[in-house]
Amino acid sequence: MSGSDTAPFLSQADDTDDGPVPGTPGLPGSLGNSKSEDPEVPDGEGLQRITGLSAGRSALIVAVLCYINLLNYMDRFTVAGVLPDIEQFFDIGDSSSGLIQTVFISSYMVLAPVFGYLGDRYNRKYLMCGGIAFWSLVTLGSSFIPRERFWLLLLTRGLVGVGEASYSTIAPTLIADLFVADQRSRMLSVFYFAIPVGSGLGYIAGSKVKDVAGDWHWALRVTPGLGVVAVLLLFLVVREPPRGAVERHSDSPPLSPTSWWADLRALARNPSFILSSLGFTAVAFVTGSLALWAPAFLLRSRVVLGETPPCLPGDSCSSSDSLIFGLITCLTGVLGVGLGVEISRRLRRSNPRADPLVCAAGLLGSAPFLFLSLACARGSIVATYIFIFIGETLLSMNWAIVADILLYVVIPTRRSTAEAFQIVLSHLLGDAGSPYLIGLISDRLRRSWPPSFLSEFRALQFSLMLCAFVGALGGAAFLGTAIFIEGDRRRAQLHVQGLLREAGPTDDRIVVPQRGRSTRVPVSSVLI
């Protein structure tokens, strides 16, 4: 049987024997027209003719999507920038603080498959408009919650996941339908620059707005206004391109959506997608933990070193570490994403497995530097910042490359579902639970020691060391991806070009070669 739906999950590396037999047009050794194995890449005029959009309009659409992606991550990490103040205002401990991020990620994770299904079948522009408008209203409402209603803050942070799920599962598929090959990689790198930059701006905006207004609540009122601008830009600028048209041959029929269960079966049997998603899960675990706890850890380190006074009830907590960590996150994100894409692009010319290998190198390289940043925190805050800088740069090399891997090993009519599945997996095993887990371990360790500022520091230090171990596991998953990447990419290309047919679960036909051409006949008609 042909197609990724029938390939076993751990099939032989790059085994494409289930594809078309020799004689199929477009394959090496064909008895028909000889074409390259890779699809022809359309030029600028070709893209404009296929999508109906000029190069300038397509670039403007990417800019709008990038702005909204930046805004999403800015809002997500504004809370982390004022976390000590939130702990003091609601009188909560580390485990309850970790729940703020865990509830949001859990909601985001549950809703992602819903929007993935809708995004593969309905107008993506209007889905994003509705989701972001709802997110803006809920975020604004969360800034007016009284101190005795901490549960209501958790509820509103959970509802924020609606907007992020509606956007994160859909936006990359729009870029995939506007560009191909190296153009797509470059545009994805621009899009994913917004993740670390937006995260860093969240820390900076949260800490500085709090300092200016004298109240942390105002930090949560910045992004809703910018969200209104985002909805207007989406509605006025973005247009819906045809799904998968830029990757098809002109004479191949358009792809039709399959059932949701068929999509899930195909994705579960795509080893490159599964393994790269597991690798990305490790990235999400580490970044989720650092995003929430790094500023608090750095503040406790300074307290232990005697460089800053402790955060006592009734006092405003120091925000300098949130500001510095935000700047580091912005800079390392730009460096890491750009470095990862450029290294991968150059290595791809000589090694088709370059993408997962670069991801593996980034994760495996970041693990020891993150460990050293924690180990050195009691001796030198400067050394801690240097190791964090190197570790986050290596960690950021993965963002755009993982998205590109998904887009070229999954066919266009399944990409939103694949994005949603990856979001569910990476958050379920990654940053949905990692902030709460780190806080829980910290609280348990702290209870076993005499109460002191040193105990608070050491408890959080030891719990964060789990991130280095998880990062190493993620690097191993990307090494596994490199084994299967060539075969899965080729199968997806052939499917889009109409040269590979998927067999459904009830298909009882087999391929019998006849004079250099393949013919499907019922199993019952073949004598064995």
Side-chain angles (χ1 to χ4, degrees):
M1 294 251 190
S2 65
S4 57
D5 268 343
T6 58
F9 169 57
L10 291 178
S11 58
Q12 194 68 19
D14 300 338
D15 179 10
T16 56
D17 289 342
D18 59 348
V21 297
T24 302
L27 287 181
S30 170
L31 298 179
N33 295 332
S34 176
K35 294 183 181 179
S36 171
E37 177 182 339
D38 293 329
E40 181 181 352
V41 178
D43 57 14
E45 292 183 1
L47 284 174
Q48 183 173 344
R49 184 174 61 254
I50 293 169
T51 62
L53 300 169
S54 66
R57 183 63 175 269
S58 296
L60 187 59
I61 290 174
V62 173
V64 172
L65 297 178
C66 185
Y67 164 73
I68 301 172
N69 202 31
L70 184 145
L71 192 59
N72 277 337
Y73 280 86
M74 181 177 170
D75 172 76
R76 185 185 299 189
F77 294 107
T78 296
V79 172
V82 293
L83 186 62
D85 296 275
I86 293 176
E87 286 185 323
Q88 181 182 309
F89 182 80
F90 289 104
D91 191 23
I92 54 176
D94 286 349
S95 57
S96 296
S97 299
L99 272 178
I100 297 174
Q101 189 77 342
T102 295
V103 167
F104 161 72
I105 294 296
S106 298
S107 168
Y108 175 42
M109 174 186 67
V110 169
L111 292 166
V114 177
F115 284 101
Y117 176 86
L118 297 174
D120 279 333
R121 290 159 178 82
Y122 299 101
N123 189 290
R124 293 171 283 188
K125 168 181 172 178
Y126 297 132
L127 287 171
M128 290 190 292
C129 284
I132 293 172
F134 180 80
W135 156 73
S136 299
L137 289 173
V138 173
T139 301
L140 181 62
S142 68
S143 67
F144 295 98
I145 296 172
R147 68 176 66 244
E148 64 273 9
R149 297 286 189 271
F150 177 67
W151 63 268
L152 192 54
L153 177 66
L154 294 178
L155 175 63
T156 56
R157 293 309 295 175
L159 292 176
V160 168
V162 175
E164 294 229 16
S166 70
Y167 180 78
S168 298
T169 57
I170 294 174
T173 68
L174 282 172
I175 297 176
D177 289 333
L178 292 171
F179 302 95
V180 290
D182 284 345
Q183 286 180 304
R184 177 190 290 170
S185 297
R186 283 192 291 269
M187 290 301 174
L188 283 172
S189 68
V190 172
F191 178 77
Y192 283 102
F193 273 139
I195 294 180
V197 174
S199 302
L201 288 177
Y203 293 113
I204 295 169
S207 60
K208 298 312 292 182
V209 170
K210 183 207 74 171
D211 289 343
V212 171
D215 184 358
W216 67 268
H217 292 88
W218 282 97
L220 302 183
R221 297 167 187 167
V222 175
T223 51
L226 299 175
V228 175
V229 177
V231 173
L232 292 175
L233 288 174
L234 266 178
F235 187 78
L236 297 174
V237 175
V238 174
R239 287 179 56 187
E240 178 90 1
R243 287 178 175 86
V246 295
E247 295 164 276
R248 291 197 303 266
H249 283 164
S250 58
D251 56 348
S252 61
L255 296 173
S256 299
T258 52
S259 71
W260 192 63
W261 288 113
D263 291 347
L264 291 182
R265 281 195 303 270
L267 293 173
R269 294 168 181 171
N270 187 328
S272 295
F273 170 72
I274 294 294
L275 290 170
S276 63
S277 296
L278 288 173
F280 188 66
T281 299
V283 177
F285 186 100
V286 176
T287 55
S289 300
L290 293 178
L292 189 70
W293 290 114
F297 172 73
L298 292 168
L299 175 61
R300 294 181 190 184
S301 174
R302 287 185 180 275
V303 170
V304 170
L305 292 172
E307 297 180 5
T308 191
C311 185
L312 300 174
D315 296 335
S316 178
C317 300
S318 172
S319 60
S320 61
D321 291 297
S322 293
L323 178 62
I324 296 171
F325 185 73
L327 291 172
I328 288 176
T329 302
C330 287
L331 186 55
T332 56
V334 172
L335 287 175
V337 172
L339 192 64
V341 169
E342 186 61 23
I343 292 174
S344 179
R345 187 180 68 83
R346 291 177 181 272
L347 289 180
R348 210 180 293 160
R349 300 169 186 170
S350 57
N351 188 346
R353 306 180 188 212
D355 286 351
L357 291 176
V358 171
C359 290
L363 262 179
L364 293 173
S366 68
F369 286 105
L370 292 177
F371 180 84
L372 288 172
S373 69
L374 298 169
C376 294
R378 193 178 173 186
S380 171
I381 196 69
V382 175
T384 298
Y385 276 123
I386 291 173
F387 288 130
I388 287 177
F389 185 94
I390 299 172
E392 284 210 324
T393 299
L394 294 170
L395 199 62
S396 298
M397 290 171 62
N398 293 272
W399 290 106
I401 301 176
V402 171
D404 207 10
I405 290 174
L406 182 150
L407 294 173
Y408 65 63
V409 300
V410 177
I411 62 174
T413 53
R414 290 191 181 122
R415 283 173 181 162
S416 289
T417 298
E419 291 281 354
F421 186 89
Q422 190 174 82
I423 286 171
V424 169
L425 182 64
S426 63
H427 292 314
L428 179 65
L429 302 179
D431 56 354
S434 64
Y436 177 71
L437 179 62
I438 297 298
L440 184 64
I441 295 172
S442 176
D443 277 349
R444 293 290 175 87
L445 290 174
R446 192 164 54 179
R447 290 193 194 107
S448 63
W449 297 328
S452 67
F453 296 120
L454 178 60
S455 297
E456 293 179 4
F457 163 76
R458 289 177 59 204
L460 192 53
Q461 179 189 41
F462 291 156
S463 61
L464 282 171
M465 287 181 178
L466 180 63
C467 294
F469 176 73
V470 173
L473 291 178
F478 280 119
L479 290 177
T481 306
I483 299 174
F484 299 98
I485 193 76
E486 290 182 90
D488 289 335
R489 181 175 189 171
R490 181 165 178 254
R491 276 188 284 272
Q493 289 173 345
L494 293 174
H495 189 113
V496 171
Q497 297 169 46
L499 302 178
L500 190 65
R501 175 187 176 275
E502 283 190 337
T506 60
D507 196 340
D508 65 344
R509 294 174 178 264
I510 62 174
V511 178
V512 179
Q514 291 185 346
R515 298 179 183 176
R517 301 181 65 184
S518 62
T519 303
R520 290 186 176 274
V521 299
V523 174
S524 58
S525 69
V526 181
L527 293 177
I528 301 177

